[in-house]
Amino acid sequence: RSRSMSTMVYPREEKLDKLSQEEIISNTKLVMQGLEALKNEHNSILHSLLETIKCLKKDEEANLVHEKSNLLRKSVEMIELGLGEAQVMMALSNHLNAVESEKQKLRAQVRRLCQENQWLRDELANTQQKLQRSEQTVAQLEEEKKHLEFMNQLKKYDEDVSPSEEKEGDSAKDSLDDLFPNEEEEHGPGLPHQHSSAVAAAQQGGYEIPARLRTLHNLVIQYASQGRYEVAVPLCKQALEDLEKTSGHDHPDVATMLNILALVYRDQNKYKEAAHLLNDALSIREKTLGKDHPAVAATLNNLAVLYGKRGKYKEAEPLCKRALEIREKVLGKDHPDVAKQLNNLALLCQNQGKYDEVEYYYCRALEIYESCLGPDDPNVAKTKNNLASCYLKQGKYKDAEVLYKEILTRAHVKEFGSVDDEHKPIWMHAEEREEMSKSKHRDSAPYAEYGGWYKACKVSSPTVNTTLRNLGALYRRQGKLEAAETLEECAVRSRRQ
């Protein structure tokens, strides 16, 4: 029986190398069952032998049984060794299966990541195409907008409307958009100022953008200027949250961030949210910096601009006046920043029909610009344009005409150094052409005389271009159609240049 058992325990060796892992495992399990049965059988025989020894009295027979029991013990040990090896094989098999499953899982992850990567590449390509299309559309819309604004300008003075009706119409809103960007806080109080004295005053007052917020501020303004508010707004909000955690709510830096976020909201026409933030910033700055600090003036001005854009001119006016008082106190009455504030205050009064105040504020601003920055500074021409628009609203067409001619003459003198028979300002050519048309001697090619002037002047001076359109519209109102056409055609040509 022992021999027959041994054949069961050890399968034929020549087949081992041809077996698969599953076959090896199933054979090992069979072998283990056989070994377990054999082990149990040997143990029972060993037990019966040991019992027999107790009964035997003759030494020879006892020795024989001892011998047999020792053989059985060795067989049992070998069987246990075989079982141990089989268990090791089973454990190894389990381990290999676990490794294989892990490998398959990793492969599946790699496949998924490859798919995701491809999807992201496709998304990026689609987004880039959309961006390109959007940029083309924006460029086209910009061109259309410029054209429509120009056509609107021509129409504006043809319609015989009273100043009060004009004030309530869209033209008042247009003028707001044109004139309010005059102040240096348009994109936050810390942007570089146009004048070194203003920079010095700002730094002494400590209302420039703090160093730790400068990079963030520039990023936000960049995204906002591109119209990417979905990026600009969360950036501001996260910065606000971090600042409030580290420095508390009543800190000047928190006020600066509130101011920046308010301007982003203003760009999106979210005026209520912007007003709420600016009021918060104002109270923080008044508490921490004092009521007469330049940063308080900056916030008051931004709040006034906001109310102006909403048509709340009465609410905006006292804020603007307070900002003016602070700036006069801190910078002196003849500082260019004071002139900017006067421009804004004049515009608010103009929209309420307070024309005496408007003229006073614009004339004061004009004096400051001419004395501090010289007659050729762009702000001088811009303020004269503003004052002329006030005269037009009152029907003082002659006064407006004088101002427009002053702007064009000054631009001519800057270009050619003098006014003489060879070098006449554009409006003189226009009026001469008007006279010639009445006396039936029309000049067929007037542009040869002043072509060089308008090319050089218009490209660098949008204000002069606006003046050409405004004076052209005024000529048209007076029935001087040839003069009007000369200026309008000049404005169109300069825009194309």
Side-chain angles (χ1 to χ4, degrees):
R1 188 165 49 182
S2 174
R3 272 201 302 276
S4 67
M5 285 284 185
S6 66
T7 56
M8 223 180 96
V9 173
Y10 304 107
R12 279 172 286 180
E13 289 179 15
E14 66 268 13
K15 283 192 177 179
L16 273 176
D17 56 345
K18 294 176 187 174
L19 296 173
S20 67
Q21 189 179 325
E22 287 78 9
E23 286 170 334
I24 291 169
I25 292 306
S26 64
N27 286 343
T28 304
K29 282 179 181 171
L30 280 174
V31 168
M32 281 178 80
Q33 286 170 5
L35 287 172
E36 281 290 347
L38 199 58
K39 181 181 163 189
N40 292 337
E41 199 179 326
H42 275 56
N43 279 333
S44 65
I45 293 167
L46 186 60
H47 181 69
S48 64
L49 279 174
L50 290 171
E51 287 298 317
T52 311
I53 289 171
K54 290 175 189 174
C55 305
L56 290 173
K57 292 178 183 176
K58 294 177 183 175
D59 288 341
E60 288 173 18
E61 287 177 12
N63 287 341
L64 188 65
V65 174
H66 269 298
E67 229 173 280
K68 282 184 180 179
S69 66
N70 286 338
L71 283 172
L72 279 169
R73 277 199 190 96
K74 280 179 188 172
S75 292
V76 169
E77 281 170 17
M78 294 302 286
I79 289 166
E80 283 173 347
L81 183 63
L83 278 169
E85 286 174 352
Q87 281 161 356
V88 168
M89 282 175 74
M90 297 293 287
L92 183 59
S93 164
N94 290 338
H95 172 68
L96 288 173
N97 287 337
V99 168
E100 184 62 30
S101 69
E102 189 65 28
K103 193 163 73 174
Q104 292 303 330
K105 194 167 78 180
L106 289 170
R107 276 184 183 152
Q109 280 180 349
V110 167
R111 277 197 298 276
R112 196 182 75 248
L113 287 170
C114 286
Q115 286 167 351
E116 281 177 13
N117 194 26
Q118 190 55 48
W119 177 78
L120 286 170
R121 281 174 192 277
D122 293 343
E123 281 292 298
L124 180 60
N126 290 338
T127 308
Q128 283 172 332
Q129 284 174 354
K130 281 180 192 169
L131 178 63
Q132 202 174 354
R133 285 198 293 272
S134 298
E135 284 171 347
Q136 287 168 353
T137 311
V138 167
Q140 287 167 359
L141 288 171
E142 282 291 328
E143 278 307 305
E144 286 171 26
K145 181 175 169 239
K146 283 177 191 168
H147 177 69
L148 288 169
E149 280 173 352
F150 174 58
M151 295 307 290
N152 188 42
Q153 194 75 35
L154 297 183
K155 275 171 65 185
K156 191 156 68 172
Y157 300 116
D158 288 346
E159 297 163 9
D160 199 14
V161 287
S162 69
S164 62
E165 286 169 338
E166 245 180 49
K167 188 188 85 176
E168 287 164 15
D170 286 339
S171 59
K173 289 177 187 171
D174 290 344
S175 64
L176 268 173
D177 288 336
D178 284 346
L179 307 179
F180 264 116
N182 228 13
E183 91 280 9
E184 81 274 7
E185 294 83 25
E186 177 63 5
H187 289 300
L191 281 182
H193 301 277
Q194 288 180 333
H195 320 293
S196 56
S197 54
V199 174
Q203 285 167 351
Q204 284 160 14
Y207 73 96
E208 79 279 8
I209 296 289
R212 67 170 169 167
L213 299 182
R214 211 164 287 146
T215 306
L216 178 73
H217 167 262
N218 293 340
L219 257 182
V220 168
I221 296 307
Q222 186 184 330
Y223 281 124
S225 66
Q226 294 168 1
R228 297 182 64 188
Y229 301 112
E230 76 285 354
V231 181
V233 172
L235 263 178
C236 285
K237 286 184 174 175
Q238 186 58 54
L240 260 175
E241 202 180 305
D242 295 345
L243 280 171
E244 286 181 338
K245 275 181 195 167
T246 54
S247 310
H249 182 68
D250 291 339
H251 191 278
D253 289 359
V254 172
T256 302
M257 272 321 300
L258 287 167
N259 200 61
I260 294 166
L261 181 55
L263 294 175
V264 174
Y265 278 147
R266 191 180 80 188
D267 280 354
Q268 292 177 276
N269 300 325
K270 293 182 177 178
Y271 295 131
K272 279 188 183 175
E273 294 94 325
H276 176 70
L277 294 171
L278 284 174
N279 277 310
D280 198 4
L282 182 63
S283 69
I284 293 171
R285 282 178 166 172
E286 284 178 335
K287 256 188 262 177
T288 56
L289 304 172
K291 288 190 180 281
D292 292 335
H293 194 278
V296 172
T299 317
L300 285 164
N301 185 62
N302 283 340
L303 206 46
V305 171
L306 196 64
Y307 285 148
K309 283 184 181 287
R310 293 171 73 184
K312 295 185 172 183
Y313 308 117
K314 280 185 182 175
E315 291 92 328
E317 190 186 333
L319 297 171
C320 210
K321 281 182 175 170
R322 211 183 127 205
L324 178 65
E325 283 168 20
I326 294 170
R327 286 192 164 152
E328 285 177 335
K329 199 172 178 181
V330 174
L331 304 170
K333 294 206 169 191
D334 297 324
H335 193 278
D337 284 2
V338 170
K340 286 180 181 180
Q341 200 67 56
L342 285 163
N343 252 314
N344 284 350
L345 186 52
L347 184 64
L348 290 171
C349 291
Q350 184 168 310
N351 281 293
Q352 296 173 74
K354 299 179 180 177
Y355 294 113
D356 290 343
E357 287 183 50
V358 175
E359 287 180 29
Y360 168 72
Y361 292 136
Y362 277 142
C363 289
R364 243 193 91 191
L366 208 49
E367 281 172 31
I368 293 170
Y369 282 136
E370 286 182 323
S371 62
C372 290
L373 310 174
D376 292 323
D377 187 79
N379 286 303
V380 172
K382 184 148 189 166
T383 307
K384 281 186 177 179
N385 250 319
N386 295 353
L387 182 55
S389 75
C390 168
Y391 286 148
L392 288 173
K393 284 181 184 290
Q394 297 174 81
K396 296 180 179 178
Y397 301 116
K398 204 71 205 163
D399 292 334
E401 189 178 329
V402 168
L403 282 174
Y404 288 141
K405 286 177 178 176
E406 278 178 18
I407 295 168
L408 295 174
T409 304
R410 190 69 229 174
H412 174 90
V413 170
K414 189 181 177 188
E415 185 65 26
F416 293 109
S418 64
V419 175
D420 50 42
D421 289 339
E422 284 183 32
H423 299 114
K424 292 177 184 175
I426 185 83
W427 63 267
M428 284 188 185
H429 287 292
E431 291 192 352
E432 279 174 15
R433 194 176 178 205
E434 182 68 36
E435 288 301 315
M436 290 174 82
S437 74
K438 285 174 183 169
S439 60
K440 309 285 189 233
H441 296 296
R442 289 182 61 173
D443 185 353
S444 58
Y447 293 104
E449 297 173 63
Y450 49 82
W453 173 78
Y454 82 78
K455 277 181 195 168
C457 225
K458 245 38 77 280
V459 171
S460 59
S461 176
T463 308
V464 174
N465 208 8
T466 303
T467 308
L468 281 173
R469 296 201 302 272
N470 290 347
L471 183 55
L474 196 51
Y475 278 149
R476 197 171 280 283
R477 190 186 183 93
Q478 294 167 352
K480 298 178 179 177
L481 301 184
E482 285 296 327
E485 277 177 27
T486 304
L487 294 186
E488 286 159 8
E489 197 173 333
C490 185
V492 170
R493 285 185 179 212
S494 68
R495 249 187 70 218
R496 285 180 191 151
Q497 292 289 335

